[in-house]
Amino acid sequence: MEIRSATPDDAAALLEIYSPYVLNTAITFEYVAPSLETFRKRIESALPHYPFLLAADGAEILGYAYAGPLKSREAYDWSVETSIYIRLGNHRRHVGTTLYSALELELKQRGIRNMYACITAPDEDHAFVPAASPLFHERMGYRTVGHFHCCGYKFDRWFDILWMEKFIGDHNDVRP
């Protein structure tokens, strides 16, 4: 498995991974899959500031992970929000672990101190949100720091979200 930076030319393959999550799960709160051009612009806007990585097995892209700003104010510049999506059928192949480890390393090299993940809480029947994502993040060293109730509405029902965090750098009194 190769980990590399995504490029706008990877947009079609990454959108192919993302679209089933939009259409069939509450893992993302988008109702409609973005257009190819919109997805390409998401990659283009992220790359100058944050890592946007993908995992490939030969020509097949297995998943991707990226970071973006936690908030827009300058004091948040050492914190990021992370996202990860794995091609369906490729879970349990360590794609996520490999991607998130590479993302974390790159973020550390850029001076980032805190990683945050906003995760849809698993629904009781696991019809739209499996339990895997919070468990995966816990294994990666994240801890739950917030639980927001009934804040996303999709598939004619309400979903909770979890905020999870991981510290990856020192928090001393010296300005980073």
Side-chain angles (χ1 to χ4, degrees), residues 5-8 14 38-53 64-69 80-83 103 106-107 110:
S5 182
T7 71
L14 300 183
T38 297
F39 205 83
R40 177 184 293 274
K41 286 180 182 175
R42 289 180 186 181
I43 296 168
E44 288 171 346
S45 66
L47 284 174
H49 311 286
Y50 299 100
F52 200 122
L53 304 177
Y64 65 96
Y66 62 95
V80 296
E81 183 177 350
T82 61
S83 293
L103 184 68
E106 186 151 340
L107 289 168
R110 294 177 185 218

Side-chain angles (χ1 to χ4, degrees), residues 40-165:
R40 177 184 293 274
K41 286 180 182 175
R42 289 180 186 181
I43 296 168
E44 288 171 346
S45 66
L47 284 174
H49 311 286
Y50 299 100
F52 200 122
L53 304 177
L54 63 80
D57 184 4
E60 183 183 22
I61 297 176
L62 305 175
Y64 65 96
Y66 62 95
L70 177 65
K71 295 286 228 172
S72 61
R73 306 285 194 275
E74 294 90 355
Y76 293 106
D77 284 351
W78 295 272
S79 298
V80 296
E81 183 177 350
T82 61
S83 293
I84 185 168
Y85 292 93
I86 306 301
R87 183 180 297 279
L88 296 178
N90 285 279
H91 293 88
R92 301 189 188 277
R93 291 183 58 193
H94 303 288
V95 177
T97 302
T98 304
L99 271 169
Y100 248 24
S101 296
L103 184 68
E104 182 178 327
L105 180 62
E106 186 151 340
L107 289 168
K108 278 183 185 180
Q109 292 170 346
R110 294 177 185 218
I112 298 300
R113 307 294 170 90
N114 309 326
M115 296 170 64
Y116 293 90
C118 180
I119 301 166
T120 308
D123 50 334
E124 288 182 16
D125 56 6
H126 301 292
F128 297 107
V129 184
S133 190
L135 296 173
F136 165 75
H137 282 81
E138 285 175 7
R139 283 193 305 274
M140 293 301 297
Y142 285 74
R143 64 185 179 94
T144 300
V145 293
H147 186 140
F148 293 66
H149 301 275
C150 298
C151 63
Y153 188 80
K154 190 172 179 179
F155 303 122
D156 298 321
R157 64 198 289 185
W158 290 99
F159 292 91
D160 296 356
I161 60 166
L162 306 173
W163 273 98
M164 300 183 80
E165 78 178 349

